[in-house]
Amino acid sequence: MPDTVDFLRLEGLQVHFPIKGGLFDLVLGRPASAVRAVDGIDLNVERGEIVALVGESGSGKTTLGRVITKLAQPTGGKLLFDGCDMTPERGSSALRPYRRRVQMIFQDAYQALNPRHTVFDIVAEPLQSLRLVDNATQLAERVSQALTAAGLNPPGDFFARFPHELSGGQRQRVVIAGALAVRPELIVADEPVSMLDVSIRAQILQVLVNLRDKHNMALLFITHDLPLAWLIADRIAVLYLGKLVEIGSADEITFNPRHPYTVALRNATPQIGANPARDELQAVQGEVPSAARVPKGCRFHPRCPLAFGRCREEEPPAIDVGPQHMSACWLAK
Ligand code: SF4
């Protein structure tokens, strides 16, 4: 028995959505298939750690975040939180302590906020539904604290405002305040700044980093933006078609990527100064394949001698390529 347990641990986590076959499949006896949105993820996050999940749309990042916050149910593998197996489906009352400890910040603040509710009601709602306050004074105090922590000052000025009366940055801060109000220990932030102006992004990122520093809160930061991940995260995990293809320290993954997909993501990223000629940027080739028909090998290394050989026969395991740096590519060694 290990003397320390991982704060959050995913073991072979899977989310497969079955696809109903048509008449032809029935006649031809084709086996039922499934969309493999998340396909055997092993990952751990420690207290106070910021881990970024990076990948294109359709790589399974959001589905994984929804499973961790128990908004979706895995079809296989294990979700362990602070030593407790959270995999089985539970009713809302049994989930109440977990919901207090694990919160999610959504990408689209417009959709996440009820337009008919004031800022006060929005931030107060989780405190009331999780029964974390005893009276109105406590409620007002906790709402004020959450708004202040999210950078909405003075908090009283925002109590009676409606979402449409706020700027994009302020709306995202209200979403963050709603998550913070319950004092979570882990936040899953799904592209929390991708819809904001560049000038506001840094402020929101700073709020999240401050929370980690002040409260030792862990953060799983979901993004498609590798430089942003490098800026905020301690470690970066790269997801491709539901699989974790590379993981390591933020510096290692950004400056010494060993999987061709991570290299492709990096080469497709504009960098001020470093890449002055626009044509030096390389777009990630081709469309993201369907998660229902995942091809063997990878499309990022067209001249890889193993793409039609070994990689088709045998999926590369996570290979150790440096201190706490793993890459699922036979060529990474
Ligand atoms: Fe891609 Fe596999 Fe070749 Fe690595 S070994 S570059 S994963 S085809």
Side-chain angles (χ1 to χ4, degrees), residues 259-260 297-301 304-308 311 316 328-332:
H259 193 280
C298 71
R299 70 186 209 268
F300 309 105
H301 196 327
C304 172
L306 305 179
F308 295 99
C311 221
C329 169
W330 292 117
L331 302 182

Side-chain angles (χ1 to χ4, degrees), residues 189-257:
D190 186 6
E191 306 263 15
V193 295
S194 63
M195 296 179 81
L196 299 177
D197 286 349
V198 176
S199 55
I200 297 169
R201 284 185 187 186
Q203 297 169 14
I204 300 288
L205 292 179
Q206 196 55 55
V207 168
L208 294 172
V209 172
N210 289 349
L211 288 169
R212 184 274 292 272
D213 295 347
K214 224 168 148 191
H215 303 291
N216 202 28
M217 191 189 76
L219 179 66
L220 193 64
F221 187 85
I222 297 173
T223 180
H224 60 271
D225 190 331
L226 193 56
L228 203 65
W230 172 72
L231 208 62
I232 191 170
D234 302 308
R235 282 190 299 144
I236 296 177
V238 182
L239 243 65
Y240 175 64
L241 284 177
K243 290 189 192 324
L244 210 158
V245 294
E246 187 159 18
I247 184 163
S249 73
D251 280 349
E252 272 283 304
I253 298 296
T254 311
F255 302 113
N256 184 26

Side-chain angles (χ1 to χ4, degrees), residues 54-56 224 226-227 238 240 245-246 253-254 256-271 275 280-286 298-302:
V54 178
E56 291 167 280
H224 60 271
L226 193 56
V238 182
Y240 175 64
V245 294
E246 187 159 18
I253 298 296
T254 311
N256 184 26
R258 303 293 291 278
H259 193 280
Y261 178 54
T262 319
V263 174
L265 281 183
R266 196 189 62 170
N267 291 347
T269 307
Q271 288 163 21
N275 236 341
E280 281 183 30
L281 287 176
Q282 294 162 23
V284 177
Q285 296 298 313
C298 71
R299 70 186 209 268
F300 309 105
H301 196 327

